[in-house]
Amino acid sequence: MEKKHKFIRNFSIIAHIDHGKSTLADRLIEKTQTVSSNEMTNQLLDSMDLERERGITIKAHAIRMVYKHPDGEYILNMIDTPGHVDFSYEVSRSLAACEGAVLVVDASQGIEAQTLSNLYLAIENDLTIIPVLNKVDLPGADPDHSAQLVGDLLGYDPDLIPRISAKSGLNVEAVLEKIVQEIPPPKGDEEAPLQALIFDSVYDTYRGVINYIRVVHGSLAVGQKIKMMKTGAEYMVTEVGTFSMVRNPKEKLNSGMVGYFLANVKTISDVKIGDTITHSQNPSLTALPGYKDILPMIFSGIYPINPEDYKDLREALEKLKLNDSAISWEPETSEALGFGFRAGFLGLLHMEIVQERLDREFGVDIITTVPNVEYHVHLNDGSFIKIESPSKLPDPSRYEYIEEPYVRVQLFTPKEYVGALMGLCDEKRGEFSTMEYIDEHKVILKYEMPLAEIMFDFYDRLKSVSRGYAGLDYEASGYRKNNLIKLDILLNGDPVDAFSVIIHREKSVHYANAICTKLKELIPRQQFDVAIQGAIGGKIISRTTVKAVRKDVLAKCYGGDISRKRKLLEKQKEGKKRMKNIGSVEVPQKAFLAVLSLSDSSSNSSS
């Protein structure tokens, strides 16, 4: 059995965002001649327009390469993974399908936030790690210093770390050699019951769900009946194969191989990323480790701009969940926006990407509400409820206090920006934990912070005060009691649920002033005065007024008795009063979108 596996290598490429993962993947594909030079493009595996435009990897991508080595032909199954903190689950399940990981470090930037984060994920999965220094040809690169840092971190000889330029192709051959020599071949028993890990899936309009799998034990062939161990769904396999850039059908997939299978899966909810598949007749008794339900960090309402698109939006979300298992959603209704969904995301970038994909890939025009985190509301009877929308908060007389989620934040920064970053964290209600020096130039700052405070503009301001040099990584660290209240925005006395937020009492006045001022600019003038108010319970803490469009009813009076003018003005006043009672204020869509940018002004003023 070991002989069959001897020439197979399964590995991932992991790195901090923008350290050159996708570029290195391109060079490896070129060196192994997997794709002809005519078909080769930059960021070949980044198939989404979004990935190419932003220069980031959003989805994990797999490809099979054949490397001609003096010892024989090696099959290299490579999985290119995302680098942003929001997509760490994509990384974790990709690593579960591998025996090794190539850790790419930018020689000019050194070790950064996601470098460590992804490294710990790889160590948890017990993978062989091959460090690689990229961008050594840049003017600002310091490969000797970076090699020493990486070597100390991994216990790896700095002189043996390949120094490459993925852009020019310099020394990329050394990476292939390291993969062959250091990453162990897969272990698996072909005679054992089938165990295969689903690490990704996509939806094809004609073929149904295409599942990407790593076969750990046993084998999978066309015509076999399989069972999904998490959902219990059973299907007949209609096609199996491997993928270069296109699907290559095979007779069967043996243990140790990475590939795909089709089984006419039309019920999208039957497929769970991270699930184990086995045979129906001879099932495995245990599932593979690594499956977990993803817990969203932030929540936002998603509503179709056109109410008739509600069904299309539901179908789009179902298909999106296939290859983005981190998104969760449930139906909800808003007085202001109608029928829609309350969706959970791993972070703000994840939310932004989902919105873009709904628009581009599925053509659904949507509007989103202000993002919220999940709060724990402790009721008077000693129990607690979880809420992720301010509209679900019970009456203040029914609960004692609210807890909010905290995160453990690590900031990687050059030492000259430490003061500015500490000021930013203090402003965001951060509690200082420790400060560690990686070397004489770089520092790690560790803070405990409310998740709600880093949700909006924290990342942008972090980059701003550090001139782009600081990096951020965070993980959940539990819930804490705080002085939190619900802030309502009222239009002519009626609350607009889409604008409601749960906020710290100290910041409520600044936020209310900012939102009222913004809405005054965006709500068109009516035939009557529109009062915009910020309220905590029955107490008004902020107010602005959109003045009415007034008709000059005195234009036709050329002199004459003052009582006639007074009579006309009184008549107009009565008409305005009546109109105010029966008229409704139309809130334009751009007003809902503008609220997302409000935290800049509110957080700046709160310092």
Side-chain angles (χ1 to χ4, degrees):
M1 194 52 58
E2 289 302 316
K3 281 188 178 179
K4 275 194 175 182
H5 295 148
K6 183 182 174 184
F7 291 102
I8 298 176
R9 299 290 183 271
N10 300 320
F11 69 98
S12 275
I13 302 182
I14 56 175
H16 186 83
I17 192 167
D18 202 29
H19 276 208
K21 292 180 306 302
S22 299
T23 313
L24 176 58
D26 287 350
R27 296 295 83 77
L28 295 178
I29 290 167
E30 271 183 358
K31 292 283 181 191
T32 54
Q33 298 176 348
T34 304
V35 174
S36 69
S37 55
N38 295 338
E39 297 173 286
M40 194 66 203
T41 59
N42 287 336
Q43 288 176 261
L44 187 69
L45 294 184
D46 290 346
S47 52
M48 281 190 246
D49 290 342
L50 262 176
E51 293 178 309
R52 293 172 183 277
E53 285 168 23
R54 289 170 177 251
I56 60 174
T57 302
I58 295 165
K59 291 293 307 150
H61 299 276
I63 190 167
R64 180 179 188 267
M65 303 178 291
V66 178
Y67 177 47
K68 293 179 174 64
H69 188 269
D71 297 346
E73 282 194 357
Y74 283 85
I75 294 169
L76 309 182
N77 292 309
M78 175 179 71
I79 303 173
D80 182 25
T81 60
H84 194 277
V85 61
D86 279 10
F87 302 111
S88 57
Y89 184 58
E90 289 275 339
V91 179
S92 69
R93 65 166 194 265
S94 301
L95 295 178
C98 301
E99 280 75 39
V102 175
L103 178 70
V104 181
V105 177
D106 186 331
S108 59
Q109 304 273 346
I111 294 166
E112 295 204 62
Q114 282 304 110
T115 314
L116 282 184
S117 203
N118 288 334
L119 174 62
Y120 295 149
L121 280 174
I123 291 169
E124 275 175 32
N125 281 277
D126 200 24
L127 302 190
T128 300
I129 293 153
I130 299 172
V132 171
L133 283 184
N134 190 21
K135 306 187 184 181
V136 294
D137 53 347
L138 286 183
D142 188 354
D144 293 335
H145 179 66
S146 296
Q148 192 62 52
L149 281 179
V150 175
D152 292 345
L153 180 68
L154 291 173
Y156 201 97
D157 185 344
D159 296 331
L160 298 179
I161 298 174
R163 302 180 183 199
I164 68 164
S165 167
K167 196 164 192 178
S168 68
L170 172 73
N171 212 20
V172 169
E173 196 78 34
V175 179
L176 285 166
E177 190 64 34
K178 285 272 184 190
I179 290 166
V180 166
Q181 299 299 334
E182 296 188 15
I183 293 177
K187 294 174 182 173
D189 183 357
E190 210 159 295
E191 306 305 318
L194 172 67
Q195 277 185 320
L197 174 78
I198 301 176
F199 66 86
D200 204 357
S201 55
V202 293
Y203 187 80
D204 185 285
T205 311
Y206 304 104
R207 308 295 301 275
V209 180
I210 302 166
N211 296 286
Y212 294 174
I213 57 167
R214 155 73 196 273
V215 182
V216 178
H217 296 296
S219 61
L220 183 66
V222 175
Q224 290 178 337
K225 197 170 184 187
I226 56 157
K227 178 182 179 183
M228 315 270 186
M229 295 190 76
K230 180 74 179 170
T231 60
E234 296 190 0
Y235 288 98
M236 186 73 74
V237 177
T238 56
E239 183 180 311
V240 299
T242 58
F243 24 63
S244 298
M245 284 312 291
V246 292
R247 296 194 297 273
N248 298 320
K250 304 279 183 189
E251 285 183 18
K252 73 174 185 175
L253 293 175
N254 297 316
S255 63
M257 293 181 75
V258 174
Y260 71 91
F261 79 89
L262 291 165
N264 287 332
V265 179
K266 296 294 184 185
T267 309
I268 292 170
S269 57
D270 284 350
V271 178
K272 301 275 187 192
I273 305 297
D275 198 357
T276 303
I277 62 165
T278 188
H279 288 141
S280 294
Q281 284 81 16
N282 180 27
S284 168
L285 299 176
T286 56
L288 293 167
Y291 178 81
K292 59 178 181 178
D293 287 318
I294 309 304
L295 299 175
M297 299 279 272
I298 67 170
F299 298 83
S300 172
I302 297 180
Y303 296 85
I305 288 176
N306 182 353
E308 292 172 6
D309 290 341
Y310 177 78
K311 189 181 174 191
D312 293 341
L313 177 57
R314 175 188 279 277
E315 288 176 3
L317 284 168
E318 284 178 348
K319 288 173 184 174
L320 197 60
K321 187 169 174 62
L322 257 186
N323 66 352
D324 183 357
S325 57
I327 185 176
S328 60
W329 48 271
E330 60 181 32
E332 78 164 3
T333 312
S334 158
E335 289 177 22
L337 300 170
F339 292 103
F341 301 93
R342 165 81 22 187
F345 308 94
L346 296 179
L348 274 183
L349 178 69
H350 184 216
M351 182 177 120
E352 201 180 318
I353 294 300
V354 167
Q355 290 171 19
E356 286 269 3
R357 290 185 69 187
L358 285 171
D359 179 28
R360 293 189 187 201
E361 295 176 31
F362 303 100
V364 183
D365 291 328
I366 58 165
I367 192 168
T368 55
T369 60
V370 184
N372 288 291
V373 296
E374 185 175 77
Y375 296 94
H376 289 175
V377 183
H378 290 258
L379 304 174
N380 296 335
D381 62 5
S383 63
F384 79 92
I385 57 171
K386 297 177 182 180
I387 63 158
E388 69 284 331
S389 169
S391 60
K392 294 179 181 174
L393 188 68
D395 187 86
S397 61
R398 286 188 52 215
Y399 65 86
E400 291 183 14
Y401 61 91
I402 304 173
E403 289 183 323
E404 65 178 330
Y406 266 65
V407 287
R408 228 173 264 112
V409 176
Q410 290 192 100
L411 303 173
F412 290 64
T413 175
K415 62 183 180 184
E416 57 264 34
Y417 303 115
V418 166
L421 288 175
M422 288 179 106
L424 174 62
C425 292
D426 290 342
E427 178 191 318
K428 296 287 190 178
R429 297 193 283 134
E431 294 174 15
F432 177 74
S433 298
T434 59
M435 181 167 79
E436 300 168 13
Y437 276 83
I438 302 176
D439 58 24
E440 64 271 25
H441 302 296
K442 270 208 161 176
V443 180
I444 304 178
L445 289 173
K446 294 186 179 178
Y447 272 84
E448 293 270 334
M449 294 178 72
L451 176 60
E453 292 288 345
I454 66 168
M455 232 172 42
F456 285 99
D457 62 329
F458 184 74
Y459 189 74
D460 293 340
R461 293 184 62 200
L462 170 84
K463 290 295 181 187
S464 172
V465 299
S466 68
R467 298 186 183 177
Y469 285 109
L472 165 74
D473 184 29
Y474 61 85
E475 61 179 4
S477 68
Y479 279 73
R480 293 198 202 173
K481 176 181 174 182
N482 265 324
N483 188 7
L484 301 168
I485 47 91
K486 180 186 177 188
L487 172 66
D488 285 313
I489 300 299
L490 315 178
L491 294 183
N492 278 347
D494 297 325
V496 181
D497 56 354
F499 291 141
S500 297
V501 290
I502 294 173
I503 194 169
H504 197 275
R505 191 177 288 274
E506 288 177 8
K507 297 203 166 191
S508 59
V509 175
H510 297 292
Y511 187 84
N513 285 336
I515 204 168
C516 288
T517 305
K518 194 77 173 176
L519 288 176
K520 183 181 178 181
E521 296 169 13
L522 295 168
I523 291 176
R525 293 171 72 186
Q526 314 284 325
Q527 293 278 319
F528 50 89
D529 286 358
V530 178
I532 305 169
Q533 298 167 309
I536 300 170
K539 184 183 176 185
I540 304 298
I541 60 169
S542 177
R543 172 180 173 131
T544 58
T545 305
V546 179
K547 286 295 182 186
V549 179
R550 303 190 75 88
K551 181 183 173 187
D552 187 0
V553 292
L554 302 182
K556 56 189 175 184
C557 293
Y558 302 101
D561 189 359
I562 187 67
S563 61
R564 171 150 172 75
K565 292 182 180 178
R566 199 170 286 140
K567 187 177 174 185
L568 285 168
L569 288 170
E570 285 297 324
K571 190 176 177 185
Q572 185 187 41
K573 188 176 175 184
E574 284 299 316
K576 297 272 183 203
K577 194 173 176 183
R578 192 167 61 252
M579 196 180 292
K580 187 174 181 178
N581 288 336
I582 61 168
S584 63
V585 183
E586 283 292 317
V587 182
Q589 283 151 9
K590 62 182 178 183
F592 292 103
L593 301 174
V595 171
L596 287 172
S597 63
L598 271 177
S599 61
D600 277 340
S601 50
S602 62
S603 56
N604 287 342
S605 58
S606 65
S607 58

